[in-house]
């Protein structure tokens, strides 16, 4: 036990030590305030990306450095900032607190909780902007990220570390695909980050509710920058979400990030750029609009095992206008990503949901990541669908068709039906394989198209009741061997006869 | 009067330079009038910071202590600064 004298000495030392610390700070004054942007003078030694603090506690970050002035994006209520107010440089680059406690939380672009939960206590900070991992650290994508959606897992497979764009008009189910994918990561050892940019708070609340009711919040973090937030927060949100993802990546974990959506993100950046009087280019977007998204999506990667492993899979969402994918932002992001899932209003209205146009949707790297079991059934499925699409267009006018064509059309329409899937109804790999196997083997050819969904529901029910072992076997071994096929045949035949 | 753009640039530069020189002057903000002794001891303690003859400004709002200013650099040794810092810490903990 230490004596009282020692304590007194220690306290004396502490007091005498702190009294003479003098640190010089950088200060500046506000010249003008525009929508969400303040122009300052002073801050002669400030650097790009530095956080500054206004006298009333509002923070901002430096985005423009000119000869005699500094442009600052205000992260908060800019209406309380007045000209002449003093501003202090903090010397910190824009960063946000990260920790395991983030799981299950809803935070804003700066990592501050937006839900009713406790304050985050951490000393670890990650920079919001970070240069992506170089080629040395990377490893090819070859582990699947199961979405639990038949159409995607079979035809447009996604691998861990891939960047797969989800693109389509409004209300075509873009968010639904992303949310279903998050729900399907339960027990897959994947951390999910859902980043809402410029969305309605009611929509985000719905998403959180859906995730909660499916027990998906346990491994999910929501980064929310709603439409009501300052435009700077919306601009930062995807970078913050990626920074959070990188925290888990650095621990060797697999992470899935959903950016919902990047169209609104580019609007936010356009607004900032225009207020800063940067030269405007096509559609008034600034010159570096391409870099805006390429530097963001480049941060998704799969890291080599010898450097710690882990991956960040990105599912950016882009909204198009009347199916026009040749717009400025959509084409940019299509060229950056490793493939895209096209959703169409027409398909959606015809009741084909998810409304994926499998003809023009591609996955450039996901094929290597597909499991063997899925490959076994997907190959035939693709062929069936391709032939069907080719014939379906002009066969509408022909009254008499030869039996082979009829057979192809017959099969195609059934395969299209079987790829339909209700939302929040994700399948295990084994279940997906079983259903698709039945379709490609021609067991559905005799069933009327209207009864296909009934067959599927019955089959899934049977598989979940009696066929647990076979589903488990396929899901874990990721193989479809002869013995499994025999068992499947029995179950499928049984189900067909039951209809 | 009409100016050529070149001349205008030069004048702007000159004014900016003069402003900068004005701003770069060392300023000591204190709560009360400082004696020469106190100014000298400050000069000794902050030899590298106070490079030119300082201008002393009195501002009772800082309560006690001094604030040194040179250009955009500030060394805050005032009581108000300390209180504000404490307030921030308390706010963060709560």
């Amino acid at each position: 036990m230490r004596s009282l004298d020692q304590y007194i000495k220690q306290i004396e030392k502490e007091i005498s030590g702190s009294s003479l610390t003098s640190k010089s700070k950088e200060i500046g004054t506000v010249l003008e305030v525009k929508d969400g942007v303040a122009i300052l003078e002073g801050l002669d030694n400030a650097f790009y990306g530095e956080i500054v603090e206004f006298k009333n506690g509002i923070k901002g970050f430096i985005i423009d450095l000119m000869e005699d002035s500094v442009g600052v994006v205000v992260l908060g209520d800019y209406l309380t900032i007045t000209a002449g107010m003093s501003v202090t440089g903090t010397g910190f680059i824009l960063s946000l607190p990260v920790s395991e406690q983030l799981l299950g939380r809803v935070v804003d672009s700066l990592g501050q909780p937006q839900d009713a939960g406790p304050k985050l206590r951490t000393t670890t900070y990650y920079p919001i902007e970070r240069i992506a991992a170089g080629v040395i650290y990377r490893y090819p994508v070859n582990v699947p990220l199961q979405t639990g959606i038949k159409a995607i897992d079979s035809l447009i497979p996604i691998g861990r570390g891939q960047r797969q764009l989800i693109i389509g008009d409004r209300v075509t189910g873009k968010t639904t695909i992303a949310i279903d994918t998050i729900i399907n990561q339960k027990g897959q050892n994947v951390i999910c980050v859902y980043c809402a940019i410029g969305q309605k708070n009611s929509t985000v609340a719905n998403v959180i509710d859906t995730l909660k009711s499916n027990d998906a919040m346990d491994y999910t973090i929501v980064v929310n920058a709603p439409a009501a937030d300052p435009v700077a927060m919306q601009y930062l949100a995807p970078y913050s979400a990626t920074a959070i993802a990188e925290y888990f990546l650095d621990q060797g974990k697999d992470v899935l990030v959903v950016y919902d959506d990047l169209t609104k993100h580019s609007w936010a950046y356009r607004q900032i750029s225009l207020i800063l009087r940067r030269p405007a280019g096509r559609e008034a977007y600034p010159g570096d609009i391409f870099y805006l998204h390429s530097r963001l999506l480049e941060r998704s990667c799969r890291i080599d095992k010898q450097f710690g492993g882990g991956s960040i899979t990105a599912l950016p969402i882009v909204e198009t206008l009347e199916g026009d994918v040749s717009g400025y932002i959509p084409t940019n992001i299509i060229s950056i990503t490793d493939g895209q899932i096209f959703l169409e209003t027409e398909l959606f209205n015809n009741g084909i949901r998810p409304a994926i146009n499998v003809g023009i949707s591609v996955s450039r790297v996901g094929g290597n990541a597909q499991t063997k079991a899925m490959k076994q059934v997907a190959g035939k499925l693709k062929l069936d669908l391709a032939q069907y699409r080719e014939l379906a267009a002009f066969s509408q006018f022909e009254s008499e068709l030869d039996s082979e064509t009829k057979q192809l059309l017959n099969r195609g329409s059934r395969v299209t039906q079987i790829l339909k899937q209700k939302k929040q109804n994700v399948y295990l790999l084994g279940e997906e394989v079983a259903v698709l196997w039945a379709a490609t083997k021609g067991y559905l050819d005799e069933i009327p198209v209207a009864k296909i969904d009934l067959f599927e529901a019955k089959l899934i029910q049977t598989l979940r009741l009696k066929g647990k072992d076979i589903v488990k076997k396929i899901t874990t071994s990721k193989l479809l061997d002869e013995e499994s096929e025999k068992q499947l045949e029995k179950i499928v035949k049984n189900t067909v006869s039951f209809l | 009067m009409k100016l050529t753009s070149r001349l205008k640039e030069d004048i702007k530069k000159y004014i900016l330079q003069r402003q900068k020189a004005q701003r770069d002057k060392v300023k000591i903000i204190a709560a009360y009038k400082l004696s020469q002794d106190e100014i000298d001891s400050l000069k000794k303690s902050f030899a590298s910071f106070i490079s030119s003859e300082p201008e002393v400004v009195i501002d009772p709002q800082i309560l006690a202590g001094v604030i040194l200013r040179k250009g955009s650099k500030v060394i805050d040794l005032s009581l108000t600064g300390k209180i504000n810092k404490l307030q921030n810490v308390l706010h963060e903990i709560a």
Side-chain angles (χ1 to χ4, degrees):
Chain A
M1 215 180 102
R2 284 194 287 179
S3 68
L4 193 63
D5 286 349
Q6 272 175 310
Y7 276 113
I8 291 172
K9 252 184 204 159
Q10 198 189 340
I11 291 166
E12 268 178 351
K13 203 176 149 196
E14 275 173 20
I15 290 171
S16 62
S18 66
S19 68
L20 257 177
T21 48
S22 66
K23 246 170 85 184
S24 85
K25 289 186 295 189
E26 278 287 314
I27 63 149
T29 44
V30 178
L31 283 182
E32 47 180 315
V33 188
K34 302 178 219 170
D35 286 331
V37 170
I39 310 289
L40 321 174
E41 69 168 356
L43 289 167
D44 296 335
N45 299 301
F47 54 88
Y48 189 88
E50 182 178 339
I51 303 182
V52 296
E53 198 177 332
F54 292 88
K55 204 173 182 187
N56 57 2
I58 290 176
K59 292 200 165 73
F61 75 97
I62 296 175
I63 198 169
D64 234 12
L65 285 172
M66 282 155 297
E67 195 182 350
D68 49 334
S69 64
V70 176
V72 167
V73 167
V74 183
L75 303 165
D77 185 11
Y78 64 87
L79 293 172
T80 56
I81 292 167
T82 51
M85 190 179 259
S86 83
V87 187
T88 323
T90 58
F92 289 110
I93 197 139
L94 200 56
S95 46
L96 84 168
V98 283
S99 80
E100 298 282 338
Q101 298 163 25
L102 277 169
L103 291 171
R105 302 299 300 273
V106 183
V107 296
D108 69 6
S109 305
L110 297 175
Q112 300 305 318
Q114 283 192 331
D115 51 9
K119 245 183 159 174
L120 297 167
R121 295 184 193 282
T122 174
T123 47
T124 319
Y125 280 78
Y126 261 55
I128 284 178
E129 296 266 9
R130 192 167 93 167
I131 297 292
V135 272
I136 300 291
Y137 299 96
R138 295 197 183 223
Y139 195 75
V141 171
N142 61 6
V143 176
L145 183 108
Q146 296 289 339
T147 60
I149 302 166
K150 281 168 293 179
I152 295 174
D153 286 342
S154 59
L155 302 167
I156 325 147
I158 301 171
R160 292 189 181 179
Q162 189 177 346
R163 300 158 296 172
Q164 182 78 359
L165 174 67
I166 303 172
I167 185 169
D169 279 10
R170 59 191 183 81
V171 286
T172 46
K174 301 184 295 295
T175 306
T176 308
I177 287 183
I179 296 303
D180 283 359
T181 310
I182 291 178
I183 292 171
N184 196 49
Q185 300 316 309
K186 194 174 173 180
Q188 303 292 311
N189 219 354
V190 176
I191 307 278
C192 300
V193 184
Y194 176 79
C195 176
I197 310 153
Q199 303 255 6
K200 287 180 290 240
N201 264 328
S202 57
T203 319
V204 181
N206 262 335
V207 167
I208 295 167
D209 195 50
T210 311
L211 291 175
K212 266 192 188 142
S213 57
N214 286 287
D215 299 328
M217 272 314 264
D218 301 339
Y219 52 86
T220 305
I221 301 148
V222 176
V223 178
N224 184 25
D229 262 14
V231 75
M233 297 295 248
Q234 296 179 35
Y235 159 66
L236 287 177
Y239 301 101
S240 305
T242 318
I244 293 172
E246 277 167 345
Y247 168 72
F248 291 102
L249 170 78
D250 289 350
Q251 297 171 14
K253 289 186 179 157
D254 290 314
V255 191
L256 167 73
V257 193
V258 176
Y259 305 106
D260 195 0
D261 65 75
L262 290 187
T263 315
K264 295 199 182 73
H265 181 235
S266 35
W267 291 350
Y269 188 57
R270 173 168 67 181
Q271 185 179 328
I272 292 174
S273 299
L274 288 174
I275 293 169
L276 285 168
R277 293 166 196 269
R278 290 186 181 165
R282 182 174 157 190
E283 287 172 34
Y285 286 108
D288 61 342
I289 191 76
F290 193 83
Y291 181 55
L292 179 79
H293 291 137
S294 65
R295 76 170 188 265
L296 170 71
L297 293 168
E298 263 304 291
R299 285 161 75 180
S300 311
C301 57
R302 174 132 189 260
I303 301 290
D304 199 327
K305 266 252 157 61
Q306 57 170 315
F307 296 108
S311 68
I312 297 180
T313 312
L315 288 181
I317 294 176
V318 163
E319 192 175 288
T320 54
L321 274 177
E322 299 196 30
D324 179 23
V325 292
S326 59
Y328 192 31
I329 301 300
T331 45
N332 273 357
I333 300 176
I334 286 172
S335 72
I336 295 165
T337 48
D338 304 311
Q340 62 274 347
I341 296 170
F342 276 106
L343 301 175
E344 283 185 352
T345 315
E346 205 187 309
L347 291 171
F348 191 83
N349 292 341
N350 285 339
I352 298 171
R353 300 175 194 178
I356 301 169
N357 182 333
V358 285
I360 49 173
S361 299
V362 287
S363 173
R364 287 182 206 127
V365 295
N368 298 332
Q370 209 169 26
T371 55
K372 217 163 180 191
M374 191 49 95
K375 263 187 193 152
Q376 274 168 284
V377 291
K380 186 77 171 50
L381 199 71
K382 266 182 207 162
L383 191 71
D384 282 345
L385 276 173
Q387 286 175 324
Y388 171 63
R389 270 199 307 275
E390 214 166 87
L391 290 170
F394 69 90
S395 63
Q396 285 175 343
F397 309 105
E398 302 268 352
S399 53
E400 281 189 21
L401 295 163
D402 60 276
S403 65
E404 200 185 328
T405 317
K406 257 187 195 156
Q407 163 70 21
L408 281 172
L409 288 172
N410 199 11
R411 173 72 60 84
S413 60
R414 276 159 186 76
V415 168
T416 312
Q417 285 299 315
I418 206 86
L419 286 178
K420 290 205 304 198
Q421 198 165 336
K422 289 210 173 66
K423 65 177 176 182
Q424 291 162 43
N425 179 27
V426 288
Y427 287 177
L428 289 172
L429 175 67
E431 292 166 349
E432 285 179 339
V433 170
V435 172
L436 297 176
W437 180 85
T440 52
K441 286 287 171 187
Y443 289 106
L444 308 182
D445 295 357
E446 303 305 319
I447 306 172
V449 173
K451 272 193 170 176
I452 294 283
D453 51 346
L454 186 69
F455 162 79
E456 195 193 342
K458 278 256 155 62
L459 179 61
I460 291 294
Q461 202 180 21
T462 324
L463 283 170
R464 283 180 185 168
L465 278 173
K466 294 176 193 163
K468 264 186 186 157
D469 296 337
I470 176 88
V471 169
K472 203 175 167 191
K473 192 180 157 196
I474 299 172
T475 310
T476 48
S477 71
K478 298 181 171 46
L479 267 172
L480 186 63
D481 53 22
E482 260 177 57
E483 199 199 318
S484 314
E485 279 191 82
K486 263 187 200 141
Q487 273 178 287
L488 273 182
E489 195 180 350
K490 213 171 121 192
I491 295 173
V492 170
K493 273 188 176 161
N494 209 350
T495 315
V496 173
S497 66
F498 202 73
L499 284 177
Chain B
M1 197 170 73
K2 229 177 171 183
L3 290 177
T4 63
S5 61
R6 173 77 199 282
L7 200 57
K8 210 170 147 189
E9 284 275 290
D10 283 351
I11 291 173
K12 196 181 164 191
K13 243 183 208 163
Y14 172 72
I15 292 173
L16 274 177
Q17 242 171 32
R18 256 185 50 172
Q19 274 182 348
K20 197 168 160 19
Q22 185 70 31
R23 273 200 298 134
D24 284 354
K25 259 177 85 173
V26 182
K27 219 186 217 178
I28 299 176
I29 304 164
Y32 56 90
K33 198 168 185 302
L34 295 176
S35 67
Q36 194 54 45
D37 275 3
E38 284 169 319
I39 294 174
D40 286 344
S41 83
L42 273 175
K43 269 192 202 163
K44 219 169 113 191
S45 307
F46 298 96
S48 60
F49 194 83
I50 304 176
S51 48
S52 59
E53 193 50 40
E55 177 193 351
V56 182
V57 182
I58 293 161
D59 181 5
Q61 288 230 326
I62 68 167
L63 301 177
V66 286
I67 298 173
L68 307 176
R69 259 185 96 153
K70 187 169 86 177
S72 71
K73 272 205 168 66
V74 171
I75 298 180
D76 191 348
L77 297 169
S78 70
L79 189 58
T80 324
K82 282 239 155 91
I83 291 171
N84 282 342
K85 218 180 260 171
L86 187 66
Q87 190 186 6
N88 281 345
V89 171
L90 287 176
H91 183 74
E92 265 165 35
I93 292 169

